[in-house]
Amino acid sequence: MPDIPWSTPTAPAPDAEVYVMASRFETRTLAGAFRFFLKSPGIILQIRKAPGAHGVALRARVFSRTFLTLSAWEGQGALHRFARSEPHRSSSRAAAAFMRESTFTYWTAPASALPVSWTEAERRLAEEAARS
């Protein structure tokens, strides 16, 4: 399945520091992976409209039942407001029923580091998984 490439809803100031989140989700079943994938475009659209969103990308490996997300925000508060809003809130609660494993990692970076590479995101996710 194709990736949804990085898009920048609102560019941060060149000298700003951004709050980055990477996540890895693995579903229990292929049906769960298709459910997750079908919800993804709506969530990506929601992020693109969310106040404080500076970037978003998705790496979907449906047949491997694995998804990676990457987003950048003006701060932790902007990310939390998005996470508590619809449709993300309901979708994430529903997805919990078919998730096998989830990993999240967060860090700050200079705006000049955007877009964050998948290599960097995967490295940080692997480090977080090893700590857990």
Side-chain angles (χ1 to χ4, degrees), residues 24-29 32-33 35-37 65-67 91-104:
R24 181 184 182 281
F25 300 99
E26 184 179 337
T27 64
R28 286 190 184 103
T29 65
R35 288 176 65 190
F36 188 96
F37 183 71
R65 303 182 336 267
T66 304
F67 300 85
S91 293
S92 61
R93 286 183 177 170
F98 53 84
M99 280 301 151
R100 179 173 179 253
E101 180 180 298
S102 302
T103 304
F104 300 88

Side-chain angles (χ1 to χ4, degrees), residues 43-107:
I43 303 302
I44 296 292
L45 216 87
Q46 181 188 1
I47 294 171
R48 289 179 180 163
K49 295 177 182 177
H54 293 312
V56 61
L58 171 72
R59 178 161 279 179
R61 300 298 178 255
V62 176
F63 293 107
S64 298
R65 303 182 336 267
T66 304
F67 300 85
L68 301 175
T69 71
L70 189 53
S71 60
W73 302 86
E74 70 182 10
Q76 185 177 16
L79 171 60
H80 287 174
R81 283 188 297 279
F82 157 75
R84 290 189 307 260
S85 64
E86 295 298 339
H88 182 270
R89 181 179 172 180
S90 296
S91 293
S92 61
R93 286 183 177 170
F98 53 84
M99 280 301 151
R100 179 173 179 253
E101 180 180 298
S102 302
T103 304
F104 300 88
T105 190
Y106 310 88
W107 70 96

